């Protein structure tokens, strides 16, 4: 079967750094996506990794290791507005996205 | 530019009724996806259109669910004989042929605001 695992909930402090992990087992791999979803809103695209290594975009970075079936999203200089759910999704051999359940990130002042 | 739009934003219906949910994708996006999402879960794939045809409908839970995209733009998700278990947020997403992320094409999906369906 296909499976995406990520922690259910994490808590961090404003101004700090947090790393959200994602492990996956899918039939084929054609890229990994991270999306941000605020409560009651639609997911919005954050990052995409298809090759091993780190992709940096402002305060957000995403890392991929295909051999380990592992990715993480790193958020720096946390702001209160970063409180949201973070969804990991893998595009499989059929080019469909397999989604994790999301990690709810709570930022405290 | 205009994003993906969905109507209605909320729909309350009685068990057994028929509902239609509409999605208007980003202009020029050939790929269109329907998902449903329950609280605390990631999106669950329902159906994928490439142009007018359903390229993959393997996620439709049963034959009460049907979707069309007759002109390759707007899509309608139709649910017959609704059940309480159909209550969820129905999300639509569209995608272009790709955009550059680093040196590779990402084909990221852009989501609409969703339709919250409640079956009483």
């Amino acid at each position: 079967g296909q499976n995406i695992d990520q922690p259910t909930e994490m808590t961090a402090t404003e101004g700090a750094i947090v790393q959200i992990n994602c492990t996956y087992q899918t039939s084929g791999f054609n890229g990994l996506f991270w999306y941000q979803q605020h409560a009651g809103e639609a997911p919005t695209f954050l990052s995409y990794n298809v090759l091993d290594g780190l992709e940096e975009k402002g305060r957000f970075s995403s890392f991929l290791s295909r051999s380990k079936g592992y990715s993480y999203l790193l958020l720096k200089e946390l702001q209160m507005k970063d409180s949201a759910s973070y969804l990991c999704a893998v595009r499989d051999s059929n080019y469909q996205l397999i989604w994790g359940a999301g990690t709810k990130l709570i930022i405290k002042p | 530019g205009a994003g993906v739009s969905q109507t209605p934003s909320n729909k309350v219906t009685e068990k057994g009724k028929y509902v239609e949910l509409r999605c208007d994708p980003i202009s020029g996006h050939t790929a269109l996806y329907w998902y449903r999402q329950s609280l605390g879960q990631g999106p669950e794939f329902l159906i994928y259109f490439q142009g007018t045809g359903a390229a993959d409908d393997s996620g439709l839970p049963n034959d009460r669910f049907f979707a069309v995209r007759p002109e390759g733009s707007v899509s309608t998700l139709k649910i017959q004989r609704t059940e309480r278990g159909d209550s969820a947020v129905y999300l639509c997403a569209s995608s272009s042929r790709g955009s550059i992320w680093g040196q590779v094409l990402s084909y990221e999906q852009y989501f609409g605001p969703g339709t919250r369906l409640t079956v009483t």
Side-chain angles (χ1 to χ4, degrees), chain B residues 34-98:
Chain B
W34 282 100
Y35 296 90
R36 69 178 175 183
Q37 187 176 27
S38 300
L39 193 63
Q41 299 297 316
E44 174 194 359
F45 170 76
L46 296 176
I47 187 169
Y48 156 57
F49 287 90
Q50 184 63 252
T52 61
D56 184 348
D57 64 358
S58 62
L60 295 177
N62 51 60
D63 61 6
R64 295 186 299 106
F65 289 75
F66 188 71
V68 295
R69 194 186 185 198
E71 297 178 357
S73 179
V74 171
S75 176
T76 304
L77 178 66
K78 308 180 181 190
I79 310 174
Q80 299 176 321
R81 305 184 302 281
T82 51
E83 299 177 357
R84 292 193 180 89
D86 299 335
S87 296
V89 175
Y90 287 80
L91 294 168
C92 174
S94 70
S95 175
S96 70
R97 293 191 60 80

Side-chain angles (χ1 to χ4, degrees), chain A residues 12 19-21 36 44 61 64 68 72 81 84 86 108:
Chain A
Q19 177 175 313
I20 302 173
N21 296 324
Q36 180 191 59
T44 55
S61 303
L64 174 67
K68 296 182 179 178
Y72 68 72
K81 68 178 182 179
Y86 291 85
K108 295 187 175 179

Side-chain angles (χ1 to χ4, degrees), chain B residues 4-67:
Chain B
V4 179
S5 61
Q6 292 186 246
T7 55
S9 55
N10 279 285
K11 177 70 177 177
V12 181
T13 190
E14 292 180 348
K15 178 176 178 294
K17 298 291 187 182
Y18 168 83
V19 296
E20 289 189 353
L21 312 179
R22 176 189 167 106
C23 172
D24 201 337
I26 293 173
S27 178
H29 279 193
T30 57
L32 185 145
Y33 304 79
W34 282 100
Y35 296 90
R36 69 178 175 183
Q37 187 176 27
S38 300
L39 193 63
Q41 299 297 316
E44 174 194 359
F45 170 76
L46 296 176
I47 187 169
Y48 156 57
F49 287 90
Q50 184 63 252
T52 61
D56 184 348
D57 64 358
S58 62
L60 295 177
N62 51 60
D63 61 6
R64 295 186 299 106
F65 289 75
F66 188 71

